[in-house]
């Protein structure tokens, strides 16, 4: 196969971890005889420095032209007090919007080698393997009316949680398709005992599920789900939920796996005419100014994002599995960065990238 990938390393450790992710992408492509065309663009603080804006039009055009985008992280302390339109993080929201990615996928996996760094007891977390699918472009974060008005005791704030049937349907279908390639179970999370919005959510999910008789569907109220994630994380295969609930639950899911440096994420949009899926892939962590430029950052979240890209945008399951297996081998070998608390001297960012390539 042949595909075009845009890389946006961004700021801080984004640059270091993306370099290793690209090393792995090139390695796996060569091994499986695929041709990758790589281009690099500016996003975040570095883009503000060079062009005056966090998302230059050339970057947006390049992302629309590419088959998938691999991002590092954005954010520099010098912009902490800048106005919103001059902040690196604005670039992130801008590119998600430009690409129309409507579902955020966060795989959560408990690796055997990291089981002791999970805050949960080993027997609870062992074997956890789920994907949290969060609707990304609707709900409370975008709904109108919104705003703060009035003054004194009458000052009031309003936000609106709004979903259309079409928005619920497309994200539910994505969850169902993902489950088909996994353990065939979808848990839909809502608050239908209180919110009309969730009542529509549940109704549409049930209707869509009729097209997927091979998938087992269950429903959880979001408060119960928050408990179940720590009480019995193994029960989940694919969890699908709306934007605000997903924002909160995916961070709860994140701590199950140990270090934040380990976590990949994928944001997926529509299927392109060439059969590839629009996708934006990035580690969950930020630009970590405290360790930037020191060759200390864990690149496994970025490398895991490459595995996600191969699987979700290009349908290359065997290649994705090879990357995931190599990451697991490296974790088991103990050649890992300091955040994972190895017994001996920690490996550098670059050494971990090289070790993953060797293990593929
Ligand atoms: P952060 O994720 O950058 O760092 C939090 C802590 O985790 C730090 O101690 C850091 O050293 C550590 N850490 C993060 N990634 C690591 C890795 N790969 N290996 C080892 N340790 C790692 O979050 P923060 O400190 O709250 O934010 C720093 C900057 O990043 C801010 O400007 C913020 O806005 C931005 N940010 C960007 C994104 C993104 O680009 N998607 C996400 C979160 C934060």
């Amino acid at each position: 196969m042949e595909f075009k990938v845009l890389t946006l390393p961004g700021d801080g450790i984004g640059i270091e971890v993306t370099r290793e992710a690209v090393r792995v992408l090139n390695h796996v492509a060569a091994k499986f005889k695929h041709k990758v065309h790589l281009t690099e663009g500016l996003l975040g603080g570095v883009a503000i420095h060079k062009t005056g804006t966090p998302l230059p039009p050339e970057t947006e055009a390049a992302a629309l032209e590419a088959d998938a985008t691999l991002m590092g992280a954005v954010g520099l302390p010098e912009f902490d007090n800048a106005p919103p339109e001059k902040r690196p993080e604005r670039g992130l929201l801008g590119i998600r919007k430009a690409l129309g990615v409507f579902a955020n996928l966060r795989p959560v996996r408990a690796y055997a080698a990291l089981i002791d760094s999970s805050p949960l007891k080993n027997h609870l977390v062992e074997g956890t393997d789920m994907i949290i699918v969060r609707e990304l472009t609707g709900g409370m974060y975008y709904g109108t009316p919104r705003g703060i008005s009035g003054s004194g005791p009458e000052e009031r704030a309003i936000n609106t949680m709004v979903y259309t049937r079409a928005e619920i349907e497309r994200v539910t279908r994505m969850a169902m398709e993902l489950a088909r390639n996994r353990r065939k179970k979808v848990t839909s999370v809502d608050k239908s005992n209180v919110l009309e919005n969730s009542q529509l959510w549940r109704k549409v999910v049930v209707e869509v599920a009729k097209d997927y008789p091979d998938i087992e569907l269950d429903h959880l109220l979001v408060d119960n789900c928050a408990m179940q994630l720590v009480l019995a994380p193994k029960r989940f295969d694919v969890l699908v939920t709306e934007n605000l609930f997903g924002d909160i639950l995916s961070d709860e899911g994140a701590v199950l796996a140990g270090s934040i440096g380990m976590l990949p994420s994928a944001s997926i949009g529509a299927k392109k005419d060439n059969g590839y899926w629009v996708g934006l892939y990035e580690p969950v962590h930020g630009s970590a100014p405290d360790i930037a430029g020191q060759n200390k950052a864990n690149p496994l979240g970025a490398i895991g994002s490459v595995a996600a890209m191969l699987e979700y945008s290009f349908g290359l399951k065997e290649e994705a599995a090879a990357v995931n297996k190599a990451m697991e081998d490296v974790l088991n070998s103990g050649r890992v960065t300091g955040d994972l608390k190895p017994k001996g001297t920690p490996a550098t960012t670059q050494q971990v990238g090289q070790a993953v390539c060797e293990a593929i």
Side-chain angles (χ1 to χ4, degrees):
M1 277 170 66
E2 201 165 340
F3 38 84
K4 292 179 279 190
V5 174
L6 172 70
T7 65
L8 300 171
D11 307 314
I13 64 165
I15 300 164
E16 299 160 64
V17 298
T18 304
R19 194 179 297 135
E20 299 316 312
V22 167
R23 188 196 300 278
V24 171
L25 176 60
N26 280 328
H27 187 85
V28 74
K31 171 136 189 185
F32 286 85
K33 307 208 168 10
H34 301 299
K35 205 161 184 190
V36 197
H37 301 277
L38 283 165
T39 46
E40 192 176 306
L42 296 172
L43 183 79
V46 62
I48 300 178
H49 278 307
K50 292 198 175 156
T51 71
T53 165
L55 175 60
E58 303 80 53
T59 298
E60 199 174 319
L64 291 171
E65 162 70 17
D67 294 316
T69 300
L70 181 65
M71 217 165 69
V74 298
L76 291 174
E78 68 199 77
F79 294 110
D80 279 355
N81 298 315
E85 68 285 0
K86 289 279 176 210
R87 288 184 62 118
E89 292 80 359
R90 181 54 74 91
L92 207 71
L93 297 179
I95 193 138
R96 286 180 184 152
K97 192 160 171 238
L99 285 172
V101 286
F102 63 83
N104 181 252
L105 276 48
R106 289 245 198 126
V108 177
R109 240 182 108 188
Y111 289 96
L114 298 183
I115 215 93
D116 288 333
S117 54
S118 167
L120 297 192
K121 292 194 176 83
N122 288 5
H123 75 273
L124 289 178
V125 76
E126 224 157 30
T128 295
D129 180 3
M130 74 178 99
I131 298 186
I132 300 180
V133 181
R134 163 188 169 192
E135 202 290 329
L136 204 56
T137 53
M140 191 98 92
Y141 294 175
Y142 295 92
T144 51
R146 65 186 297 159
I148 303 177
S149 60
S151 60
E154 298 308 317
E155 188 171 11
R156 64 199 297 267
I158 181 165
N159 288 96
T160 304
M161 190 184 226
V162 56
Y163 270 106
T164 62
R165 168 177 287 274
E167 285 173 321
I168 302 168
E169 200 176 316
R170 67 183 179 180
V171 75
T172 306
R173 287 197 189 280
M174 183 168 290
M176 294 284 168
E177 297 287 341
L178 283 168
R180 258 195 181 148
N181 288 320
R182 297 173 46 94
R183 301 195 305 279
K184 298 190 170 40
K185 188 172 172 204
V186 170
T187 303
S188 168
V189 177
D190 61 40
K191 188 71 184 165
S192 57
N193 55 341
V194 180
L195 302 174
E196 285 77 4
N197 196 276
S198 281
Q199 284 159 14
L200 179 67
W201 179 278
R202 191 175 285 211
K203 184 169 118 183
V204 175
V205 170
V206 168
E207 284 170 18
V208 170
K210 291 191 182 128
D211 292 341
Y212 299 86
D214 51 324
I215 306 293
E216 183 194 335
L217 171 69
D218 68 350
H219 305 271
L220 277 184
L221 296 175
V222 62
D223 39 354
N224 185 16
C225 181
M227 278 200 300
Q228 296 303 323
L229 274 174
V230 288
L231 288 174
K234 272 179 269 197
R235 65 172 278 174
F236 296 102
D237 179 15
V238 177
L239 187 162
V240 63
T241 191
E242 65 88 42
N243 203 345
L244 168 65
F245 299 161
D247 190 3
I248 298 166
L249 294 176
S250 59
D251 269 20
E252 190 185 354
V255 297
L256 303 177
S259 167
I260 187 167
M262 288 295 304
L263 293 166
S265 86
S267 302
I268 316 281
K271 198 172 190 173
K272 297 179 61 151
D273 291 342
N274 63 8
Y276 298 149
W277 289 84
V278 172
L280 181 65
Y281 299 86
E282 55 181 313
V284 166
H285 63 75
S287 56
D290 53 333
I291 57 164
Q294 299 173 36
N295 206 4
K296 273 184 182 172
N298 186 348
L300 292 177
I303 294 171
S305 302
V306 166
M309 172 190 290
L310 293 167
E311 182 167 353
Y312 304 140
S313 271
F314 305 128
L316 297 172
K317 284 192 205 139
E318 201 186 329
E319 291 77 347
V323 174
N324 283 325
K325 166 81 171 49
M327 291 197 337
E328 194 152 9
D329 289 349
V330 169
L331 286 170
N332 290 334
S333 77
R335 268 169 70 82
V336 294
T337 44
D339 54 309
L340 299 181
K341 307 201 171 37
K343 290 206 177 73
T345 316
T348 63
T349 308
Q350 198 179 355
Q351 283 168 340
V352 174
Q354 276 160 350
V356 173
C357 289
E358 282 159 26
I360 288 174

